């Protein structure tokens, strides 16, 4: 269970279907939110720079640095916490900037479609640090902050990323994101099964989780990790309950 903190103009928000006009603000103190999640037992936080995603380049690096420090200060020294960050990472320089800021894992999506050779090189240069995001709409990968649908099938990109040695895959069903209508269990599990034939890599489910039963369904289908945002913010269940269930 990986709690999500989506940053927009310094606030922690959630979008519905990736629509900036449908943003709900949940906190004006993202660093305090990070501390809260870590103290509740989170071992990894998923942070999205939404301003960066819409602008095409990281826009919240300083806030991410402060958030990272807050999370690590709140962590039990025997249980280190990781930060994975995505949003607007469209070139190698953006990846390096975040790694230099102390981020453990960098999430690339559009870049993996636009420049696959570069992402393959980044995976080799930073083993265990590059996560490839696969944002799917009707089986095809969406890019540019979900505003454009590519011609690349989600399963194809997943297998390529596994071959590159990516540290993980982040699979989002855009039609379900932020709506708590239930995760895309079958399609997420299908991607995991597909990449298991290529190499050892975990597919992280994202989008639609609204109940503890949704976590049960993902686990039963063979999904190994999940990101959750709105359900935590709207108190559908607590992080402690979710971690215990996982």
């Amino acid at each position: 269970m990986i709690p999500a903190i989506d940053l927009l103009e310094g606030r922690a928000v959630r979008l519905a279907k990736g629509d900036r006009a449908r943003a709900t603000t949940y906190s004006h103190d993202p660093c305090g939110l990070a501390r809260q999640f870590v103290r509740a037992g989170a071992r990894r936080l998923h942070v999205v720079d939404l301003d960066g995603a819409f602008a095409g380049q990281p826009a919240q690096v300083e806030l991410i640095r402060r958030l990272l420090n807050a999370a690590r200060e709140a962590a039990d020294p025997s249980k280190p916490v990781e930060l994975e960050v995505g949003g607007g990472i469209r070139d190698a320089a953006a990846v390096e900037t975040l790694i230099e800021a102390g981020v453990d894992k960098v999430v690339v999506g559009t870049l993996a479609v636009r420049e696959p050779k570069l992402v393959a090189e980044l995976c080799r240069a930073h083993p265990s640090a590059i996560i490839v995001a696969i944002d799917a709409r009707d089986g095809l990968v969406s890019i540019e902050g979900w505003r454009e649908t590519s011609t690349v099938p989600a399963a194809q990109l997943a297998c390529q990323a596994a071959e590159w040695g990516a540290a993980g895959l982040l699979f989002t069903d855009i039609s379900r994101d932020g709506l708590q209508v239930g995760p895309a269990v079958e399609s997420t599990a299908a991607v995991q099964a597909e990449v298991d034939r290529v190499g050892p890599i975990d597919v992280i489910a994202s989008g639609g989780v609204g109940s503890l039963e949704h976590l049960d369904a993902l686990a039963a289908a063979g999904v190994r990790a999940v990101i959750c945002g709105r359900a935590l913010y709207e108190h559908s269940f607590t992080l402690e309950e979710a971690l215990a269930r996982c």
Side-chain angles (χ1 to χ4, degrees):
M1 166 59 70
I2 306 169
I5 302 176
D6 292 0
L7 303 174
L8 184 67
E9 299 171 356
R11 298 167 287 131
V13 308
R14 291 297 288 168
L15 306 184
K17 294 187 179 181
D19 185 350
R20 185 170 190 157
R22 299 174 67 187
T24 302
T25 298
Y26 287 102
S27 175
H28 291 276
D29 180 18
C31 292
L33 198 56
R35 293 188 195 97
Q36 177 185 325
F37 284 146
V38 170
R39 287 169 182 157
R43 299 293 296 275
R44 187 190 296 185
L45 301 178
H46 177 77
V47 177
V48 181
D49 178 354
L50 290 173
D51 296 283
F54 293 121
Q57 60 184 7
Q60 301 264 15
V61 176
E62 184 52 41
L63 176 55
I64 289 167
R65 188 179 284 112
R66 296 200 308 270
L67 196 152
L68 175 62
N69 290 336
R72 288 183 175 164
E73 288 170 3
D76 182 330
S78 66
K79 299 177 180 178
V81 62
E82 290 187 325
L83 202 71
E84 64 181 39
V85 176
I89 302 165
R90 308 288 164 80
D91 55 33
V95 173
E96 300 295 343
T97 293
L98 289 170
I99 289 176
E100 288 170 8
V103 169
D104 301 280
K105 299 185 187 301
V106 180
V107 182
V108 298
T110 298
L111 190 62
V113 174
R114 297 280 195 220
E115 299 187 56
K117 290 184 180 179
L118 173 59
V119 174
E121 292 172 4
L122 288 168
C123 289
R124 289 192 291 270
H126 301 287
S128 80
I130 306 297
I131 292 177
V132 173
I134 301 174
D135 301 327
R137 180 182 281 120
D138 298 325
L140 297 176
V141 179
S142 289
I143 57 177
E144 303 293 345
W146 296 359
R147 290 170 295 185
E148 179 182 334
T149 302
S150 74
T151 59
V152 179
Q156 176 183 312
L157 179 57
C159 290
Q160 285 180 327
E163 290 170 354
W164 299 337
L169 299 173
L170 174 57
F171 182 78
T172 303
D173 182 336
I174 295 173
S175 68
R176 297 167 182 262
D177 188 64
L179 299 182
Q180 295 183 261
V181 294
V185 176
E186 291 183 5
S187 55
T188 306
V191 172
Q192 182 67 72
E194 192 77 25
V195 298
D196 278 343
R197 290 196 281 266
V198 179
I201 185 171
D202 287 343
V203 177
I204 306 168
S206 175
V209 172
S211 71
L212 294 173
E213 287 71 26
H214 291 158
L215 302 181
D216 294 339
L218 286 166
V223 178
R224 301 167 192 158
V226 62
I227 286 172
C228 187
R230 190 181 294 269
L232 293 173
Y233 296 122
E234 298 196 347
H235 311 295
S236 299
F237 47 77
T238 67
L239 180 55
E240 292 91 340
E241 288 173 332
L243 290 168
R245 196 68 159 248
C246 291

